[in-house]
Amino acid sequence: MRSSPLRLLLDFDEQVRRDRDQPPAFLHRRDRRFALDCQAQGVPADAAHWLAWIAQRSGPGRATPGSDRLLSRWRAATGGFALAGGVAGIVTMAGLLAFDGGQRINVTLLLALALLQLLLAVLTLVQSLAGWQPWRPLVRRLLPAPDHSAAARLLPTFTARAAQAGGSAFALTSLMTLLVLVVVQDLAFGWSTTLATGAGAYHRLVLAVASPWAGLWPDAVPSLALVEHTRFFRAGPESAGNPALWGQWWPFVVMTWTVWVLLPRLVLTLTAQTVLRTRARRELARHPGQQALAYRMETPILDTGNAHNDASDLPDTRTRVEPVPLPETHHLIAWAGADQPALPAMLQTPGPVYRAGGQSALAEDDAVIAALGESLARDVRPEVLMAVRSWEPPTGELQDFLEAARSRWPEATTVTLAPVTGAADQAPEQRHLDAWLRFTTRLPAGFARVGQWPAAGGPHHG
């Protein structure tokens, strides 16, 4: 059972998109039967149980859900943000604390950087809540998603979470760098500003900054005497004042970075994750497919006024098209991973196996069509054998591929679809074959047909 709201939303959205290629009558019968099964078992007829129910009836070799690939890319993007933030934190803090004895480290600059990090964290949260996408072109290139899909609507929230993760890594590594340099070096801190600011005003500023931890660590609250004796001027003598006081700023700097940079980032990272889960639940609740699913589950297929329901009566799926023997050809296409883990012995050919569909890009599909077109032009009887997964219903993507191939291959070319199962020696079920036979009737006459498995012990294709 799926527990993550984000995964549940993406899987539900993907299944609804798959159902667009199915006849409405088939969907009505399937979902009505699901509702009756849930009523008999006393379980809620919600999206999670619906997806699990469909998965149980999709066969052992069901394809990996598209949500797994999308979530893997999202996790990789978050990891990339965190890695970049971590490296930037080390470099930034090491650069700020570089001390060669010629000048002191300006505490004012560190306070300004802490304020900048806090503002960026808050702006990222506001961007997530408002749904802004200031880096939309980059996100669309790294994390492509259909404009009207649930994933596209969650991209602003996800990018905010990834940005907060990068900010948290920046704050953590920069704090670790600060602590290491405090231990291994003798850092000299001071404060300076071009503004006409006295020691009293600056002391009030640092007291306001240190107010969250003033009662817990008094040594991390600079005194007025420390502020007065550690002010420096760029053009003034660097040796002025007591050098022993220059290092007493480090507890204040460490606590400032921890309280005003690291903790807000960690809290906002958890907040961004919570917002993402909340929006995923909301998107699932108002998904357009929910209303259609509820209608199909609640509406009887045939209301005759008696206690009988026909949810378990399968529709007439017979077709006048019959399977044909597998042709003798060396042109083989494995569609959408049908050759995984291996092709049946009857489809093993000495020629190359072309792979198309599934995770293949459109450019790769076009390359397969072009390469086969050149080979088929030299054949007297151009024939192509295409291995497909029997349990997966034909999709519009496959139909587009075959129509594009027909327009570019020789006119007499025929394509034989060979439905395969997860087991190399197991023939597909008749209901799966019927679905593929009906699919060929939607293609131009004589172009596509379905191959018939040989009888047990019969000759194999080769």
Side-chain angles (χ1 to χ4, degrees):
M1 186 68 64
R2 298 165 176 81
S3 57
S4 168
L6 180 58
R7 180 181 293 275
L8 180 60
L9 171 64
L10 297 178
D11 286 348
F12 183 83
D13 185 69
E14 181 185 12
Q15 185 61 47
V16 170
R17 290 177 174 275
R18 273 195 205 141
D19 287 348
R20 293 176 182 175
D21 297 327
Q22 301 296 333
F26 167 78
L27 298 178
H28 195 176
R29 290 179 180 275
R30 181 197 67 186
D31 297 336
R32 178 60 177 168
R33 182 173 183 178
F34 161 73
L36 294 174
D37 288 349
C38 289
Q39 183 180 1
Q41 298 173 11
V43 297
D46 54 14
H49 287 91
W50 181 65
L51 291 171
W53 187 83
I54 292 178
Q56 291 176 356
R57 285 153 179 79
S58 298
R62 186 171 184 260
T64 302
S67 61
D68 288 350
R69 299 189 296 270
L70 182 58
L71 290 176
S72 296
R73 300 187 68 171
W74 284 11
R75 283 191 290 266
T78 302
F81 270 88
L83 178 61
V87 174
I90 296 174
V91 174
T92 300
M93 188 57 70
L96 289 174
L97 300 183
F99 178 66
D100 57 2
Q103 62 181 7
R104 296 180 223 177
I105 301 168
N106 195 350
V107 175
T108 307
L109 181 59
L110 293 172
L111 290 177
L113 181 60
L115 177 61
L116 176 62
Q117 286 296 311
L118 182 60
L119 289 177
L120 290 176
V122 174
L123 287 176
T124 303
L125 176 64
V126 173
Q127 172 261 320
S128 170
L129 298 177
W132 299 340
Q133 296 192 61
W135 42 73
R136 183 180 180 87
L138 177 62
V139 172
R140 288 176 62 88
R141 177 170 296 184
L142 297 178
L143 301 170
D147 291 336
H148 302 291
S149 67
R153 293 190 293 272
L154 290 178
L155 274 181
T157 309
F158 166 74
T159 52
R161 187 190 69 173
Q164 296 289 14
S168 298
F170 176 90
L172 180 60
T173 57
S174 56
L175 178 62
M176 295 174 62
T177 304
L178 170 62
L179 293 174
V180 170
L181 293 179
V182 165
V183 173
V184 303
Q185 290 188 3
D186 183 15
L187 300 179
F189 294 96
W191 68 276
S192 178
T193 176
T194 308
L195 302 177
T197 303
Y202 198 84
H203 184 244
R204 289 191 295 271
L205 172 64
V206 298
L207 286 181
V209 173
S211 58
W213 65 85
L216 299 176
W217 192 5
D219 292 341
V221 182
S223 63
L224 179 59
L226 178 63
V227 174
E228 291 176 344
H229 289 87
T230 54
R231 183 172 187 177
F232 67 94
F233 298 91
R234 187 171 297 277
E238 289 297 327
S239 59
N242 184 5
L245 299 176
W246 297 349
Q248 294 182 10
W249 279 95
W250 77 264
F252 171 77
V253 174
V254 169
M255 290 303 297
T256 298
W257 201 262
T258 302
V259 173
W260 294 106
V261 179
L262 179 59
L263 291 182
R265 280 292 190 180
L266 294 178
V267 171
L268 291 180
T269 299
L270 295 177
T271 302
Q273 177 66 22
T274 303
V275 171
L276 182 61
R277 294 172 64 91
T278 302
R279 289 205 166 175
R281 291 192 185 96
R282 186 186 309 165
E283 289 290 337
L284 179 62
R286 65 185 185 186
H287 194 286
Q290 289 278 17
Q291 184 176 2
L293 175 62
Y295 173 80
R296 294 195 298 266
M297 290 192 302
E298 297 172 1
T299 307
I301 298 175
L302 180 60
D303 188 4
T304 60
N306 56 29
H308 173 72
N309 67 78
D310 62 351
S312 61
D313 299 338
L314 296 178
D316 185 6
T317 59
R318 292 174 297 179
T319 176
R320 290 176 293 179
V321 183
E322 296 293 336
V324 299
L326 295 174
E328 294 289 341
T329 179
H330 298 305
H331 304 307
L332 177 61
I333 300 176
W335 179 259
D339 58 336
Q340 301 298 329
L343 287 170
M346 66 177 185
L347 299 182
Q348 307 247 341
T349 66
V353 178
Y354 297 91
R355 294 173 176 84
Q359 298 183 4
S360 301
L362 292 177
E364 296 174 338
D365 291 350
D366 290 340
V368 170
I369 293 176
L372 277 174
E374 296 177 0
S375 300
L376 293 170
R378 297 189 294 266
D379 293 350
V380 178
R381 294 181 57 189
E383 293 180 332
V384 176
L385 189 61
M386 175 178 284
V388 295
R389 288 176 168 175
S390 62
W391 64 89
E392 293 184 355
T395 62
E397 179 186 4
L398 175 59
Q399 185 170 350
D400 293 342
F401 177 87
L402 292 176
E403 290 177 352
R406 184 174 181 272
S407 64
R408 296 169 59 181
W409 287 349
E411 184 177 356
T413 303
T414 58
V415 176
T416 302
L417 304 176
V420 299
T421 60
D425 58 348
Q426 181 180 355
E429 299 181 20
Q430 185 60 42
R431 58 190 181 94
H432 294 156
L433 284 179
D434 291 340
W436 287 100
L437 289 170
R438 291 193 300 272
F439 171 70
T440 59
T441 61
R442 302 200 297 265
L443 298 172
F447 175 63
R449 56 241 184 120
V450 176
Q452 184 176 14
W453 276 59
H460 285 182
H461 171 81

